[in-house]
């Protein structure tokens, strides 16, 4: 079910360290060891975070290569960009409507300046 | 789609360190008028909802310490109900409110809107939404909030299915 996957994606991204890992993998593939370097935590702890990201389908690791670098799934990164862009577009549409209402309010006697129930 | 040069740009920021969404936009009206558009019930319902969606105010007591509840309605369908408290209304420069979505979790977001006076009777509006977790913040971003959770999830489902 898409909803289950969605919950896993939200859950995986709820952790600041995992968000940071995703941001770094957006720049390029990296091994668990490389990912662990800047953090004050063990490689094992980072490995657990990577596992959560893998289970959510955000990250894949190649089977064959010795180093098994982590790779961010491109469509997931697109998805996040789409969320933010869609949210921005919804805000922009809302504010365009507000532009029109504000222009209306500037003209005295227009509908938006009248009080309800005083028309009679 | 590109915005035309006559429309001010809406910028959006999602902070990586705190679960915040920040929107900044300028308006060709003084702060008093923009503030009124956010607090006067007759004006508020005119611009909030997307096309084909109307806003039904179930409760609206726009004073510091007051409360509100409104429902987005499309045709005969109730899309989503938002409710919360007006924590502080300080005309014309500041509005602080809490907000919850009925039937979705137990949390509330803290929404602070500032109206900053600019030269030539203009206003810079900054809308900051603070969620209680990154999970909730991302859900708000993903749903598009005003489109309603259900509509937002339907679109996300499509994106996920395509991926």
């Amino acid at each position: 079910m898409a909803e289950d996957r969605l919950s896993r994606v939200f859950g995986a991204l709820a952790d600041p360290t995992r968000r940071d890992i995703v941001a770094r993998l957006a720049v390029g593939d990296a091994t668990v060891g490389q990912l662990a370097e800047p953090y004050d935590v063990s490689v094992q702890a980072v490995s657990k975070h990577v596992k959560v990201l893998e289970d959510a389908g955000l990250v894949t690791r190649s089977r064959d290569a010795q180093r098994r670098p982590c790779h961010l799934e491109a469509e997931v990164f697109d998805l996040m960009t789409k969320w933010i862009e869609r949210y921005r577009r919804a805000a922009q549409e809302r504010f365009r409507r507000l532009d029109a209402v504000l222009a209306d309010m500037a003209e005295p006697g227009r509908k938006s300046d009248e009080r309800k129930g005083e028309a009679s | 789609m590109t915005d035309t040069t006559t429309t001010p740009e809406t910028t959006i920021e999602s902070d990586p360190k705190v679960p915040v969404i920040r929107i900044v936009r300028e308006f060709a009206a003084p702060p008093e008028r923009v503030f009124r558009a956010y607090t006067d019930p007759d004006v508020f319902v005119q611009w909030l909802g997307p096309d084909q969606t109307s806003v039904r105010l179930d409760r609206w007591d726009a004073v510091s310490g007051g409360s509100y509840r409104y429902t987005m309605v499309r045709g005969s369908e109730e899309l989503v109900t938002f409710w919360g408290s007006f924590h502080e209304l300080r005309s014309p420069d500041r509005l602080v409110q809490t907000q919850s979505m009925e039937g979705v979790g137990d949390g509330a977001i803290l929404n602070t809107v500032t109206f900053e006076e600019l030269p030539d009777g203009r206003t810079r509006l900054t809308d900051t939404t603070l969620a209680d977790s990154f999970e909730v913040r991302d859900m708000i971003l993903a749903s598009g909030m005003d489109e309603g959770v259900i509509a937002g999830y339907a679109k996300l489902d499509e994106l996920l299915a395509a991926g």
Side-chain angles (χ1 to χ4, degrees), chain A residues 96-114, chain B residues 28-29 33 36-37 42-43 46-47:
Chain A
R96 276 184 185 155
R97 289 189 296 272
L98 180 52
D99 283 336
V101 169
L102 290 168
D104 245 26
M105 289 166 75
E107 295 173 40
R110 290 293 291 267
K111 195 174 156 232
S112 60
D113 277 337
E114 286 171 17
Chain B
R33 209 189 305 158
R36 213 188 111 201
D42 297 338
V43 185
Q46 289 177 40
W47 61 269

Side-chain angles (χ1 to χ4, degrees), chain B residues 1 6 31 36-38 56 62-63 68 77 87 92-93 97 101 111 118 120 122 137 140 163:
Chain B
M1 295 287 252
T6 50
R36 213 188 111 201
Y38 269 77
R56 188 189 72 215
V63 294
Y68 66 89
E77 189 191 1
H87 179 74
D93 60 337
Q97 61 188 343
M101 220 184 293
N111 176 232
L118 297 176
D120 306 318
R122 295 175 63 82
R137 196 272 304 270
I140 292 169

Side-chain angles (χ1 to χ4, degrees), chain B residues 46-57:
Chain B
Q46 289 177 40
W47 61 269
L48 187 75
D51 295 340
Q52 280 113 45
T53 304
S54 58
V55 181
R56 188 189 72 215
L57 298 185

Side-chain angles (χ1 to χ4, degrees), chain B residues 63-66 84-89 94-98 110-111:
Chain B
V63 294
S64 294
S85 301
F86 289 113
H87 179 74
E88 184 183 21
L89 266 65
R94 190 175 163 84
L95 185 163
V96 183
Q97 61 188 343
T98 62
L110 182 66
N111 176 232

